[in-house]
Amino acid sequence: MMKLKIFICLLAPVVCSSQNKEILYNFTPLPQSLLTNPGADVKYKWFFGVPLLSGISANVGSTGINAYNLFANDGVNFTTKVKKVIATTNRNDYVTANQQLELFSAGFGLGGPENRSYVSFGMYQELDSFIYIPTDLAILGFYGNKDYIGKTFNLGDLSVKAELLSVFHVGFNKPINEKLTLGVRGKIYSSIFNATSTRNSGSFYTVQGKDLIYDQAIQSNLELNTSGAAKYLDEDYDGDLGSDLVEDVKQKALLGGNLGLGLDIGLTYYPQKNIQVTASLVDIGYIKHTQEVESFTFKGHYDFKGVITDFNADGTPDNAYQDFKDAIPLDTLYTPYKTQRPLKFYSSYQYSFEEVRQMECDCETDEDSWYRSAVGAQFFAMSTPRAPMVALTAYYRRRFFNGLQMKATYTLDSYSYKNVGLGLYTKVGIVNFYALADNLLGYTDLAKANALSFQIGFNIISGGSNR
């Protein structure tokens, strides 16, 4: 299936690197925190991000496997390493990646200091990919079924999705009273390329009957949906791949792709002045794929009785291989389909201490007091094609002086139990630079790390929040 390989190649160059932004969430000195909670308690007068440099992030993670398992220079045969990985992983292990590039962003306050609302807007490019490790298919492909007579292989282990898209967004943030702030953000998605194969099912099994005759049955319900890449999948395509891709990305990123709508909602609540509770839902949305749609299916049922256990054109007698292809054909469909964006839920509880009172007018903030330190806990959950991905974070925040703040985190998730992260916010005049990175211990040996992420950026900010 050469054209499916071509489609994979279209997405592969963009995958330079999970989606939990535990350091950014509720780190309110940064305007980008509004992308994780539109109801964050922010105090900016106005801001704008330096185009293409305000938000650069990448996040990659895997469970059950890392690069060292396969590529360590330890004298062990690569085939042996693959066998070990197959033996130690299961169908719920996964590899995931997320990359974002903020193209532009800005925001400004409305109203006076005592009743200020905020409008923020911008555009970013995003790459999402999520692949479950297809354990049964790996066993079948690597070992065959000879040593697995009586085992039922689950074809539903195959679950993968990948998408390159751009997002236009506008948010509104409103303090309802001194204790409660609400926020909402509307989004328009423009999908550039998409590949989704997450609703697969089926089985393959072999049992030994009488007189060394094998009974085999295949029940297949496999489907791969793609959009935005039809011309590249055409076997007669002879264009310039590089230049065509550049033009396609430009056109589709500016609302020329498959479109969808999304919504973020969030809140911040203060039961007491120094106790804060937040929550948000991000990417409540969908994309309708109608342009350049191609779907590939393997659907059907086939039974075979014989002495040969492998289906191939060279070794199967009595035209059984052709019968198999007739019973479970490869079909190409052009039907529109819909995908849901990965829904993310954030929440936090924060206790602040070391209060500092404003003694004289400070043009940097409208607050009459703030806290130098805070400790808290965060919860994160994200929808996946199977079980939700969850994480729990403990953190400490510290404001050293006007232009330097930090947030240190410790996160428990499916990737690691030793995820230590650090975020630094600096501001000189109105120029802000920030850097966030988690799994810092993994940087001592990148090959053994199960997850890595970072985010850096430059903003121009007038005013700010110390909360």
Side-chain angles (χ1 to χ4, degrees), residues 270-276 352 355 357 368-369 371 467:
Y270 290 92
Q272 299 178 27
K273 184 178 179 181
N274 66 329
I275 295 178
Q276 179 199 70
S352 300
E355 185 176 13
R357 293 192 174 276
D368 57 4
S369 68
Y371 296 91
R467 308 185 80 168

Side-chain angles (χ1 to χ4, degrees), residues 40-59:
D41 182 15
V42 296
K43 301 297 180 184
Y44 321 116
K45 296 177 181 178
W46 54 263
F47 75 89
F48 67 87
V50 177
L52 302 178
L53 295 177
S54 58
I56 303 170
S57 68
N59 190 324

Side-chain angles (χ1 to χ4, degrees), residues 18-19 60-66 89-97 129-135 157 159-160 380 382 384-391 413-416 450-451:
S18 84
Q19 290 196 29
V60 61
S62 62
T63 64
I65 183 176
N66 56 45
T89 56
N90 61 64
R91 70 188 305 267
N92 292 318
D93 286 317
Y94 50 80
V95 178
T96 181
S129 67
F130 196 101
I131 304 170
Y132 278 105
I133 297 176
T135 307
D157 277 4
S159 181
V160 57
F380 169 79
M382 185 181 81
T384 76
R386 294 177 187 163
M389 179 192 300
V390 298
D413 55 27
S414 55
Y415 303 115
S416 172
N450 284 90

Side-chain angles (χ1 to χ4, degrees), residues 356 362 365 370-374 396-406 465-466:
V356 176
D362 184 351
T365 178
W370 62 85
Y371 296 91
R372 288 194 182 277
S373 300
Y396 170 69
R397 280 181 57 179
R398 177 72 178 179
R399 175 178 179 266
F400 296 102
F401 46 85
N402 282 342
L404 179 63
Q405 299 191 45
M406 76 91 176
S465 174
N466 299 307

Side-chain angles (χ1 to χ4, degrees), residues 340-370:
Q340 301 291 326
R341 295 294 297 147
L343 177 62
K344 293 168 280 291
F345 171 74
Y346 289 93
S347 63
S348 72
Y349 176 91
Q350 178 175 288
Y351 172 79
S352 300
F353 54 98
E354 293 187 76
E355 185 176 13
V356 176
R357 293 192 174 276
Q358 187 83 319
M359 302 304 296
E360 58 185 40
C361 178
D362 184 351
C363 297
E364 286 295 304
T365 178
D366 296 321
E367 298 169 302
D368 57 4
S369 68
W370 62 85

Side-chain angles (χ1 to χ4, degrees), residues 2-13 15 195 224 233:
M2 181 60 66
K3 55 186 182 177
L4 291 185
K5 294 179 181 178
I6 292 175
F7 184 76
I8 293 173
C9 291
L10 295 180
L11 289 174
V15 184
L224 169 64
L233 300 179

Side-chain angles (χ1 to χ4, degrees), residues 9-206:
C9 291
L10 295 180
L11 289 174
V14 194
V15 184
C16 54
S17 23
S18 84
Q19 290 196 29
N20 181 15
K21 297 190 174 183
E22 68 267 28
I23 306 176
L24 181 63
Y25 182 76
N26 206 36
F27 198 14
T28 50
L30 295 175
Q32 283 72 23
S33 66
L34 287 166
L35 293 177
T36 59
N37 181 6
D41 182 15
V42 296
K43 301 297 180 184
Y44 321 116
K45 296 177 181 178
W46 54 263
F47 75 89
F48 67 87
V50 177
L52 302 178
L53 295 177
S54 58
I56 303 170
S57 68
N59 190 324
V60 61
S62 62
T63 64
I65 183 176
N66 56 45
Y68 185 84
N69 298 144
L70 291 175
F71 304 109
N73 186 17
D74 55 6
V76 178
N77 182 275
F78 183 75
T79 300
T80 302
K81 294 177 181 178
V82 173
K83 290 181 178 180
K84 185 176 180 180
V85 167
I86 292 175
T88 56
T89 56
N90 61 64
R91 70 188 305 267
N92 292 318
D93 286 317
Y94 50 80
V95 178
T96 181
N98 178 262
Q99 170 270 328
Q100 284 188 3
L101 174 64
E102 196 167 62
L103 303 177
F104 69 88
S105 64
F108 53 89
L110 300 173
E114 300 300 322
N115 188 29
R116 175 172 289 166
S117 302
Y118 295 87
V119 175
S120 60
F121 55 92
M123 173 187 178
Y124 61 89
Q125 166 269 321
E126 181 172 3
L127 170 78
D128 270 329
S129 67
F130 196 101
I131 304 170
Y132 278 105
I133 297 176
T135 307
D136 272 10
L137 295 178
I139 294 173
L140 187 60
F142 197 81
Y143 296 102
N145 60 340
K146 180 180 177 181
D147 297 325
Y148 292 89
I149 304 303
K151 174 180 172 57
T152 299
F153 292 92
N154 185 1
L155 304 186
D157 277 4
L158 180 63
S159 181
V160 57
K161 60 179 182 177
E163 185 159 38
L164 178 65
L165 72 159
S166 63
V167 182
F168 293 82
H169 59 88
V170 177
F172 182 74
N173 175 296
K174 173 69 175 177
I176 304 302
N177 51 47
E178 290 185 354
K179 292 188 174 184
L180 179 63
T181 298
L182 300 178
V184 62
R185 181 172 305 280
K187 296 180 175 179
I188 300 177
Y189 305 114
S190 182
S191 176
I192 301 169
F193 301 116
N194 174 269
T196 302
S197 183
T198 59
R199 297 183 178 180
N200 298 308
S201 62
S203 62
F204 171 71
Y205 69 88
T206 304

